[in-house]
Amino acid sequence: MKPGSSRPTRADLAAAADRTIPDVLAPGLAVLFVGINPGLWSAATGWHFARPGNRFWPALHLGGFTPRLLHPSEQHELPALGLGITNMAARASARADELTAEELLDGAAILTDKVARYRPQWVAVVGVTAYRIGFQRPKAAFGPQPESLAGSRLWVLPNPSGLNAHYTTVTLGAAFAELRATTGLPDRAAPRRS
């Protein structure tokens, strides 16, 4: 990527295939969000959910998790809010459907170990299909899950990718807000009263 630029070139994106990016993690988080895998834009920039058109950051704010809309480059601010990000599969790809079932199964095992080590209160997987495959729960639905993961409660959210036409930014924000309300975290996006 060109120095000072936040927009990867076509060459940057092509070179980002199969890269990994660091997790945003700390012990004892309130919610650990789990993406399916990094897209090429994320792998090129090093920022989770970085592709323009991905609605993760707007949904996080509309859901009340953040006091303002954060840019992906501000992901380092999440642990102070009790939030973190990791992925089911570490390998970057242009589309999540390029992952194999084996990668998602392996990713679920790695995620379980991470959750056991970092002990978040909630684990929120953003993508029901990846959750169903990785955890072998073919009938899983959105919302809270009956099982836990290494002692943490589980929630499945819709995929915020711009390719998921079933959800708008507003409906994604509402889904995120339902999780936030269940966790007991305050609504940080609520207007402040003087």
Side-chain angles (χ1 to χ4, degrees):
M1 228 166 61
K2 293 179 185 173
S5 171
S6 63
R7 291 190 64 87
T9 65
R10 285 181 190 252
D12 294 331
L13 294 174
D18 299 328
R19 278 192 199 156
T20 62
I21 61 175
D23 293 331
V24 177
L25 273 174
L29 296 170
V31 182
L32 176 60
F33 291 95
V34 182
I36 299 169
N37 73 313
L40 298 182
W41 201 289
S42 289
T45 62
W47 307 325
H48 293 272
F49 302 103
R51 184 177 182 78
N54 189 297
R55 285 110 18 117
F56 175 81
W57 296 98
L60 197 66
H61 176 60
L62 289 171
F65 282 104
T66 60
R68 63 181 175 79
L69 176 60
L70 297 177
H71 185 268
S73 65
E74 297 175 295
Q75 66 185 15
H76 62 277
E77 294 184 23
L78 291 179
L81 299 171
L83 310 173
I85 304 174
T86 189
N87 289 290
M88 283 278 289
R91 175 179 74 86
S93 64
R95 294 175 52 108
D97 61 9
E98 294 175 25
L99 298 173
T100 66
E102 290 75 27
E103 284 178 287
L104 292 172
L105 289 165
D106 290 347
I110 292 166
L111 176 62
T112 302
D113 290 343
K114 248 180 238 187
V115 170
R117 185 172 48 243
Y118 287 94
R119 301 197 173 282
Q121 294 169 22
W122 286 88
V123 174
V125 178
V126 292
V128 72
T129 302
Y131 178 79
R132 287 173 178 162
I133 295 169
F135 288 96
Q136 299 178 313
R137 301 277 190 257
K139 296 182 186 217
F142 295 113
Q145 302 303 302
E147 61 276 346
S148 63
L149 182 65
S152 297
R153 296 189 64 194
L154 268 168
W155 193 282
V156 176
L157 288 164
N159 184 343
S161 166
L163 298 174
N164 183 359
H166 297 293
Y167 286 86
T168 66
T169 301
V170 172
T171 57
L172 283 167
F176 276 60
E178 184 181 355
L179 167 61
R180 186 206 36 82
T182 303
T183 67
L185 287 171
D187 184 351
R188 294 186 177 102
R192 307 274 186 241
R193 292 192 177 135
S194 335

